[in-house]
Amino acid sequence: MKTRILQILGVAAIATMGMVSCDTDACKDVDCGLYGTCVDGDCECDAGYEGASCATASREKFIGSYNVSESCTSGNFTYAISITTSSTGAANVIITNFGGFTTPINVNGTVSGTSLTIPNQTVGGGTFSGSGQIAGNILTITYNATAGSSTDACTMTCTKQ
């Protein structure tokens, strides 16, 4: 009987040690930098950051100067834009000369991964909203511009310089 109790206690002790030794901190050696948090061994990046250690600003791939070829319901146009960082947040950008209008218009956008969102905003007497995707050096943006009762639907193909 004592032997049986000792065997049971021995098995329980081994099982307990096994459970304790399997309980490791998956985040112990993971560095997520200033803009991420380790969860189960992987970095979850703050909005506007990406990469294995959350050190890359998502908007960096969008920043630069572009030549634009645009097709709208009102016609076809060519012009240049630039995209710069915004001080309003790590995921935010400013698109300068948006739409190539006679009077330059700057719109705000938000970046997430390879996507760009242009939230509904009123600038220079018109209302603009749209979205886009970047692949390599090509940024494609589809947007609507409304002035009064007129709406123009446009697609911009932007080639990074």
Side-chain angles (χ1 to χ4, degrees), residues 98-144:
F98 187 82
F101 299 102
T102 305
T103 302
I105 292 175
N106 299 338
V107 299
N108 298 308
T110 303
V111 170
S112 178
T114 58
S115 298
L116 171 69
T117 301
I118 299 167
N120 194 38
Q121 54 199 285
T122 301
V123 183
T127 302
F128 302 89
S129 65
S131 62
Q133 289 287 127
I134 194 165
N137 287 337
I138 304 296
L139 171 62
T140 304
I141 300 174
T142 302
Y143 72 95
N144 289 316

Side-chain angles (χ1 to χ4, degrees), residues 3 6 8 11 40-41 43 52-53 57 62 79 81 83 87 90 105-106 113 116-117 123 137-138 141 152 158 160-161:
T3 305
L6 288 175
I8 292 171
V11 169
D40 296 328
C43 291
S53 62
F62 289 86
Y79 54 93
I81 63 169
I83 300 179
S87 62
I105 292 175
N106 299 338
L116 171 69
T117 301
V123 183
N137 287 337
I138 304 296
I141 300 174
D152 204 7
C158 313
K160 194 172 193 180
Q161 301 306 297

